[in-house]
Amino acid sequence: MIIEETMEKIDSFTKERDWMQFHDVRNLASSISIEAAELLEIFQWNNPKVEDIKQDSSLLDSISEEIADVMIYCFRLCSTLDLNPIEIIEQKLKINAEKYPVEKSRGS
């Protein structure tokens, strides 16, 4: 599975650099928040349209890098806690489907 292979690459990258000592649960959660803030910082003083972003390769690259940072830390946290990211996403989607049924959510 591609996700598992990616998580293994991230874990190997971390182990090779002896960064496991820094990757406790609190630090990983903090890093997710910090990287998400860096993603948001890209849009701090503007609100570009999707079409504009797709046409601006530099902006799209910056956004991609920050999304990657968020996802790397999310995958590291999943790995640390032995969570399967696909399973927890699917579980959360089921919860959200019950919480926000189409007939009550659509058009509101």
Side-chain angles (χ1 to χ4, degrees), residues 1-106:
M1 179 177 231
I2 293 174
I3 298 277
E4 291 168 347
E5 291 171 7
T6 301
M7 288 176 68
E8 287 174 12
K9 286 180 186 178
I10 295 167
D11 290 345
S12 292
F13 184 92
T14 302
K15 288 175 188 172
E16 289 167 356
R17 286 152 183 82
D18 195 27
W19 288 350
M20 299 288 285
Q21 61 185 318
F22 307 114
H23 285 199
D24 58 52
V25 174
R26 183 192 62 82
N27 285 343
L28 291 169
S30 295
S31 295
I32 292 166
S33 180
I34 291 163
E35 294 300 339
E38 289 180 13
L39 173 60
L40 186 57
E41 184 179 30
I42 294 170
F43 305 101
Q44 186 172 9
W45 304 116
N46 59 33
N47 187 14
K49 293 183 177 5
V50 172
E51 301 79 30
D52 296 334
I53 295 170
K54 289 180 177 181
Q55 292 176 7
D56 184 339
S57 62
S58 177
L59 180 57
L60 191 58
D61 286 347
S62 295
I63 292 168
S64 297
E65 287 184 23
E66 296 306 335
I67 291 171
D69 286 340
V70 171
M71 293 178 73
I72 287 168
Y73 282 120
C74 286
F75 285 160
R76 277 291 301 133
L77 186 54
C78 283
S79 181
T80 299
L81 298 175
D82 295 323
L83 296 171
N84 180 311
I86 300 301
E87 288 177 8
I88 63 174
I89 289 169
E90 289 178 357
Q91 183 179 11
K92 184 61 177 177
L93 286 172
K94 287 179 187 175
I95 291 168
N96 287 349
E98 291 176 17
K99 193 173 181 180
Y100 307 105
V102 173
E103 57 276 0
K104 291 186 178 180
S105 300
R106 189 175 190 96

